[in-house]
């Protein structure tokens, strides 16, 4: 028996990266040092573009609250999902991407093999205990060759990483404060979601989880 068999049910580790798929990596703690600056920037963004519960085209209110930063922001209503340059609550542009966001997204993407990543959108999701995100694909962006970079802050969550079909088996990946995940190439359109959050209060954020996802939407 090889050590590969012994650890067959573990994720393979390559330095501090956990390999989720052919082009998907967890960078454990990559954003830890920047977390206070990232959270201060989120607060400033939320003063101009408050967190809100979007309504899906099917008429359901999402349990996750969200806002956006960048030249494009993701929105949803009865008419569908789309990226828009203006916040529909204010009819003003979304707050621009702060330097600390841009630098972290670019550095994390480069670390995972995607040099030159320049996002134009950051979706900011806010979870409280019991909140979940059901399995979905992210397909509202123009260019699937760009990766998505995600930053987890606050309470831990179980990320569900599926395959290319909704019914494919999902891997359960715990994500902690400061973790960064990069998804690209052949993994870009895989189904994914977040299991209902358990209450594990975090020193900086209390009973909340904030997730930033950086995208090239336009
Ligand atoms: C894998 N957010 O906002 S981020 C989303 O933790 C979203 O808030 C989750 O899914 C969260 O759409 C997960 C990670 C993520 C984002 C996009 C992906 C993983 C992805 C696209 C393809 C594959
Ligand atoms: Fe998603």
């Amino acid at each position: 028996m090889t050590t590969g068999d012994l650890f067959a049910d573990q994720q393979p580790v390559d330095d501090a990266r956990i390999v989720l798929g052919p082009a998907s990596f967890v960078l454990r703690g990559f954003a830890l040092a920047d977390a206070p600056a990232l959270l201060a920037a989120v607060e400033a963004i939320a003063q101009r573009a408050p967190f809100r519960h979007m309504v899906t085209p099917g008429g359901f209110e999402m349990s996750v609250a969200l806002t956006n930063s960048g030249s494009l922001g993701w929105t949803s209503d009865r008419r569908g999902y789309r990226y828009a340059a203006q916040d529909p609550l204010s009819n003003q542009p979304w707050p621009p991407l702060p330097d600390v966001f841009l630098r972290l997204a670019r550095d994390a993407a480069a670390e995972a093999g995607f040099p030159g990543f320049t996002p134009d959108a950051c979706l900011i999701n806010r979870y409280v205990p019991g909140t979940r995100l059901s399995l979905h694909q992210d397909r509202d962006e123009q260019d699937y060759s760009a990766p998505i970079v995600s930053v987890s802050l606050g309470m831990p969550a179980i990320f569900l990483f599926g395959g290319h079909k909704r019914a494919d088996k999902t891997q359960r990946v715990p994500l902690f404060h400061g973790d960064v995940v990069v998804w690209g190439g052949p993994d870009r359109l895989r189904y994914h979601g977040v299991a209902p959050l358990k209450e594990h209060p975090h020193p900086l954020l209390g009973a909340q989880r904030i997730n930033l996802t950086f995208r090239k939407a336009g």
Side-chain angles (χ1 to χ4, degrees):
M1 167 152 89
T2 66
T3 49
D5 299 322
L6 269 174
F7 298 109
D9 60 343
Q10 308 271 323
Q11 273 124 9
V13 175
D14 160 4
D15 293 334
R17 310 165 156 197
I18 293 164
V19 179
L20 292 185
S24 303
F25 306 93
V26 180
L27 309 175
R28 283 269 181 247
F30 192 86
L32 212 45
D34 285 323
L38 294 169
L39 289 169
V42 168
E43 261 185 55
I45 290 163
Q47 279 177 14
R48 287 174 54 188
F51 283 99
R52 78 288 308 267
H53 294 273
M54 302 260 183
V55 174
T56 65
F60 296 100
E61 191 175 88
M62 294 176 65
S63 68
V64 176
L66 76 87
T67 186
N68 290 280
S69 160
S71 56
L72 290 170
W74 187 85
T75 67
S76 176
D77 59 24
R78 290 307 298 249
R79 288 156 42 224
Y81 307 119
R82 66 196 160 276
Y83 280 94
Q86 268 103 34
D87 179 349
L89 285 184
S90 64
N91 293 318
Q92 293 296 115
W94 298 101
L97 289 166
D99 285 340
V100 62
F101 277 25
L102 283 166
R103 208 171 339 104
L104 181 72
R106 189 199 53 216
D107 292 352
E111 184 77 17
F114 297 95
F117 178 52
T118 313
D120 55 14
C122 177
L123 251 93
I124 307 174
N125 290 323
R126 187 182 64 196
Y127 298 77
V128 296
T131 309
R132 65 192 291 256
L133 194 60
S134 52
L135 275 189
H136 66 279
Q137 293 172 296
D138 288 21
R139 37 188 326 156
D140 299 324
E141 300 76 22
Q142 297 288 336
D143 177 8
Y144 299 148
S145 70
I148 289 184
V149 172
S150 126
V151 180
S152 291
L153 296 167
M155 292 208 299
I158 304 285
F159 178 72
L160 307 171
F161 195 37
H164 285 91
K165 288 181 297 225
R166 186 180 291 279
D168 289 346
K169 189 177 174 326
T170 57
Q171 301 181 61
R172 295 168 67 86
V173 184
L175 293 178
F176 301 94
H177 179 74
D179 287 351
V180 176
V181 194
V182 181
W183 333 76
D187 297 320
R188 175 64 182 74
L189 288 175
R190 285 172 66 169
Y191 278 90
H192 60 277
V194 177
L197 249 77
K198 296 211 172 115
E199 185 149 0
H200 294 293
H202 183 272
L204 286 183
L205 271 167
Q208 293 182 84
R209 171 176 187 256
I210 301 275
N211 181 265
L212 313 177
T213 57
F214 295 99
R215 300 133 189 269
K216 186 147 175 37

